[in-house]
Amino acid sequence: MKNPRDIIIEPVVSEKAYDGIDMLNAYTFLVDPRANKTEIRLAVEDIFEVKVRKVNTINRIGKKRRAGYKIGKRPDTKRAIVTLADGDSIDIFEV
């Protein structure tokens, strides 16, 4: 089995992610692009000791950007929106 800390890279800190925490008890994480939903579920349950109800994943393609005559590309990322069982919560700033 993979190390759970290699699957969960970091939490996403944005207004939209905070709205999900407040309304749906759903936390957003950047995850390893090769990880599947089962691995993400087990990693979150192992790291934070909570019960996961649902996992949704999003593959985000990096945008192309231009600086002068050079063309670059932002990296592709994979995000996981993890919904927890009622009564569970994660303090993402203490991990």
Side-chain angles (χ1 to χ4, degrees), residues 12-24 26-28 58 60 79 81:
V12 175
V13 180
S14 68
E15 288 183 27
K16 190 171 183 179
Y18 283 138
D19 287 342
I21 293 171
D22 292 338
M23 290 187 232
L24 306 172
Y27 294 81
T28 306
I58 304 165
R60 298 183 66 194
R79 291 183 179 199
I81 301 171

Side-chain angles (χ1 to χ4, degrees), residues 7-70:
I7 294 172
I8 305 295
I9 298 171
E10 66 183 7
V12 175
V13 180
S14 68
E15 288 183 27
K16 190 171 183 179
Y18 283 138
D19 287 342
I21 293 171
D22 292 338
M23 290 187 232
L24 306 172
N25 200 21
Y27 294 81
T28 306
F29 298 98
L30 282 177
V31 296
D32 182 29
R34 298 167 297 193
N36 61 33
K37 291 182 180 185
T38 305
E39 292 172 340
I40 294 167
R41 173 190 298 266
L42 294 174
V44 170
E45 288 178 349
D46 186 40
I47 294 170
F48 300 108
E49 298 174 358
V50 294
K51 181 67 178 160
V52 174
R53 197 172 76 202
K54 182 170 65 170
V55 177
N56 294 335
T57 58
I58 304 165
N59 285 311
R60 298 183 66 194
I61 306 301
K63 294 181 179 179
K64 290 184 181 179
R65 292 292 181 203
R66 197 175 108 181
Y69 61 90
K70 293 184 180 181

